[in-house]
Amino acid sequence: MQRRMGEAVARVARRVNEVVEAREDALDLADCKLVAFPAGIYKAMRSVAEGIHRISLANNELRALAGRFATTFSQLRELNLEGNLLHRLPEELGSLLHLRAINLARNKFRRFPEPLAAAPALESIDLEGNEIAEVPVEVLASMASLRSLNLRANPVCPDMRLLVRPLVPFELLLSPEGDVPEA
């Protein structure tokens, strides 16, 4: 087990170093067995953080994301957090002025993550496979840039389904009623 953990740490360090050295605009830390975003990465990427436009932290074991993440990677356009254990997002995520797409599929959200409503350029939100039963219609209707919201495989209650569709000016993806998991 200790050897596997050492390999995971080495993989993260190698990926971070490659991004810093090549001054790439994407950081891929998917499948690295992370339980938290490593604090050392903030320091290691200080010189290139403003140039990072895409980050993937998919398929880890993240339970939370610190506000420092959003303030450090302030030019982020795409964020993939699919397949983690997240149930809320930091308020600072709403300060990402350039964020266009976020993938939060297969996490532990029970409610729509409201910090997303403050992200002015957000066009696409994927929340498939969470535990969301109610949809904040007013919040969603206020999101001027939103083009697509995926809520498939969430236990969205039938009343919400009827209420939401006519009120939102974007593509709303829901599972057929018979395929909805129980809340």
Side-chain angles (χ1 to χ4, degrees):
M1 168 134 161
Q2 203 168 13
R3 181 173 179 225
R4 256 186 302 175
M5 197 161 24
E7 289 169 359
V9 169
R11 185 171 48 246
V12 168
R14 189 170 45 253
R15 289 181 183 180
V16 168
N17 287 335
E18 288 169 359
V19 169
V20 171
E21 288 173 12
R23 297 186 98 47
E24 295 176 7
D25 73 343
L27 175 62
D28 183 359
L29 295 179
D31 303 302
C32 286
K33 299 177 177 55
L34 298 174
V35 294
F37 189 79
I41 291 179
Y42 296 117
K43 187 175 181 182
M45 297 196 72
R46 186 176 48 226
S47 65
V48 297
E50 289 293 311
I52 300 296
H53 296 146
R54 293 185 322 265
I55 294 180
S56 178
L57 293 165
N59 304 315
N60 283 291
E61 297 171 25
L62 299 174
R63 294 182 183 277
L65 201 59
R68 183 179 181 189
F69 179 87
T71 56
T72 300
F73 299 104
S74 62
Q75 301 300 308
L76 210 52
R77 287 169 172 67
E78 297 174 23
L79 179 57
N80 185 351
L81 294 165
E82 179 179 3
N84 281 285
L85 303 170
L86 298 169
H87 59 92
R88 64 181 184 83
L89 294 175
E91 291 297 321
E92 292 84 351
L93 220 58
S95 69
L96 293 173
L97 301 178
H98 307 286
L99 186 64
R100 289 191 315 252
I102 188 164
N103 186 343
L104 296 166
R106 297 184 305 106
N107 273 281
K108 301 292 180 189
F109 290 96
R110 292 181 179 270
R111 284 183 238 168
F112 179 83
E114 298 224 5
L116 297 180
L122 196 54
E123 297 173 358
S124 174
I125 302 171
D126 189 343
L127 282 161
E128 184 171 346
N130 279 278
E131 302 164 14
I132 298 170
E134 292 194 26
V135 182
V137 179
E138 307 80 28
V139 171
L140 295 174
S142 73
M143 297 178 72
S145 296
L146 193 59
R147 300 287 171 257
S148 175
L149 173 61
N150 183 354
L151 287 170
R152 288 185 182 122
N154 277 280
V156 177
C157 62
D159 292 345
M160 280 312 237
R161 294 166 162 275
L162 295 173
L163 181 63
V164 172
R165 281 212 193 266
L167 296 175
V168 293
F170 51 80
E171 180 181 31
L172 177 64
L173 304 173
L174 295 167
S175 296
E177 277 194 63
D179 297 340
V180 178
E182 293 297 315

